[in-house]
């Protein structure tokens, strides 16, 4: 579980965020006048465009759509245009690594350029790769809104000026759906290696504005001596439009029994599950993209009875862990010991970080991962067929953990630290309240849901840090 940090909890409501709240990384209108460099480009004759290969026609179409939304896009060079939809995969064609590598560190990107840029009047050459939008699994419903977790991948050498702006264009409406600039963009950037960059984005529907059917990523590269200025950027890189998958998240039963549970997850955490990527020989993935950590709490916000440094004193320790769906157990580990104290739990090698765990494989190549189970509690072994609601083991404190909890995620490979994380929803749960500041977990009572709000939620994912209960079947 990621360590608790202070954050703002969105209001408990079935509507979009309050329109009175400023939205620094919200949807934008037109991005301003075209850079002079683009206005001097010769216009391609229509007949030449019609004779161009299909990949070039798609690139030209993207430029026209971007321009109509107030975004100026330079034509991709011949090398990129020739690739068409087979754009550069950030993980393809890389040498095999001896082991998977953690790449969750966030770039420390300054909002103003180095002094050497200001004195020379020239920034390092911007990258020429084309950004690629990845949206594994499609959107899920979260308190009445459709929410999509996605990433923008791009070849971006480490010695190049960092991106200064990102626009996600709604190809169907011809405008900007979401915009990220300057300090709103910098925390979302992470470097995979010296050549590749990823930008983490989360998108949400709003009243009268559903999620788009197709999105095109556009990145600005380069800043001038005055700092970040998307309208005067020295290069604009447009990617291919991605047709977003429709809602296809599996509907799960309860992973835990009766009691109050805090559903802990936050996409903004630099070291949270949503940002932790793993490099393998064939691809770079985020297994825990949609992971949730469940911590048991009582009505007063306590997480333990007695000494909270003793794992066995935690309210959730030993709670039965249930199969969220019928499936086959394809991997299981038991026998890993718990630390005697929460504070004394050491760091573990990557292979031991999940602790005792169960992998439950479902139809369609999807796998549910249960981590940090209590030693000696597993009731299943590989090859067992289980029914929904069957007990698999007990909540524990094994592996890399900051306290007894259940880690749950869904991915496309049958291993805890592999595969692409996929979304899921729960058939039903009661939303009782939540924490505005997770640092108060175990120290203060959680905030109850406002009176009159719907408590029973169906086919949804809990919003970050909500206190929920899974009703008896």
């Amino acid at each position: 579980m990621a360590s608790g940090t202070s954050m703002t909890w969105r209001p408990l409501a079935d509507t979009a965020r309050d329109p009175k709240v400023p939205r620094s990384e919200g949807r934008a209108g037109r991005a301003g006048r075209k850079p002079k460099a683009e206005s001097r480009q010769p216009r391609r004759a229509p007949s030449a465009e019609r004779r161009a290969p299909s990949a070039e026609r798609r690139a030209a179409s993207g430029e026209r759509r971007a321009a109509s939304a107030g975004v100026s896009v330079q034509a991709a060079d011949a090398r990129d245009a020739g690739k068409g939809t087979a754009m550069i995969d950030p993980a393809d064609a890389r040498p095999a690594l001896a082991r998977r590598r953690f790449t969750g560190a966030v770039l420390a990107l300054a909002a103003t350029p180095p002094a050497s840029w200001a004195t020379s009047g020239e920034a390092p050459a911007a990258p020429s790769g084309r950004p690629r939008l990845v949206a594994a699994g499609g959107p899920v419903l979260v308190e009445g809104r459709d929410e999509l977790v996605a990433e923008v991948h791009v070849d971006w050498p480490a010695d190049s000026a960092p991106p200064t702006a990102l626009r996600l264009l709604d190809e169907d409406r011809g405008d900007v759906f979401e915009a990220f600039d300057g300090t709103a963009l910098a925390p979302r950037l992470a470097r995979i290696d010296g050549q590749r960059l990823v930008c983490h984005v989360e998108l949400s529907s709003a009243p009268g504005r559903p999620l788009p059917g197709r999105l095109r990523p556009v990145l600005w590269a380069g800043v001038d001596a005055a700092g970040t200025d998307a309208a005067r950027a020295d290069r604009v890189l447009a990617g291919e439009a991605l047709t977003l998958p429709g809602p296809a998240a599996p509907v799960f039963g309860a992973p835990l029994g009766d009691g109050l549970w805090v559903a802990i997850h936050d996409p903004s955490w630099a070291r949270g599950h949503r940002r932790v990527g793993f490099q393998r020989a064939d691809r770079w993935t985020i297994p825990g993209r949609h992971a949730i950590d469940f911590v048991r709490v009582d009505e007063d916000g306590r997480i333990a009875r007695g000494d909270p440094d003793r794992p066995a004193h935690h309210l959730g320790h030993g709670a039965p862990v249930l199969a969220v769906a019928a499936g086959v157990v394809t991997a299981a580990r038991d026998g890993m010991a718990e630390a005697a104290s929460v504070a004394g739990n050491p760091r573990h090698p990557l292979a031991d970080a999940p602790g005792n765990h169960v992998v439950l494989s479902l139809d369609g190549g999807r796998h549910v991962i249960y981590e940090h189970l209590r030693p000696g509690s597993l009731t299943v072994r590989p090859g067992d067929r289980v029914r929904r609601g069957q007990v698999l083991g007990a909540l524990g404190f094994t592996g890399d953990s900051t306290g007894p909890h259940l880690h749950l995620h869904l991915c496309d490979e049958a291993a805890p630290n592999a595969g692409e994380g996929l979304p899921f929803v729960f058939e039903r749960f009661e939303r009782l309240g939540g924490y505005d500041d997770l640092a108060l977990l175990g120290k203060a009572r959680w905030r109850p849901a406002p009176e009159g709000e719907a408590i029973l939620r169906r086919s949804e994912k809990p919003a970050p840090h909500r206190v929920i209960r899974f009703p008896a079947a």
Side-chain angles (χ1 to χ4, degrees), residues 6 17 44 59 160 181-183 203-204 218 226 241 247 251 253 284 291 295 308 322 335 351 406 410 427 454 463 473:
S6 178
R17 62 186 82 186
R44 178 183 295 175
S160 299
D181 297 283
T183 56
L203 309 176
S204 179
V218 181
V251 180
W284 183 86
V295 175
L322 312 176
L406 172 66
L410 179 71
E427 182 178 53

Side-chain angles (χ1 to χ4, degrees), residues 26-80:
R27 298 174 184 87
R30 300 186 179 274
R33 61 182 179 85
K34 300 178 182 178
K36 293 180 180 180
E38 186 195 15
S39 65
R40 291 195 296 266
Q41 291 179 353
R43 182 174 182 180
R44 178 183 295 175
S47 59
E49 182 178 321
R50 286 195 298 267
R51 291 194 303 269
S54 59
E56 294 181 4
R57 288 201 302 271
R58 284 193 297 270
S61 174
E63 291 155 23
R64 289 195 300 270
R65 289 181 181 274
S68 69
V71 180
S72 300
V73 182
Q74 283 192 339
D77 58 31
R79 176 181 62 83
D80 287 329

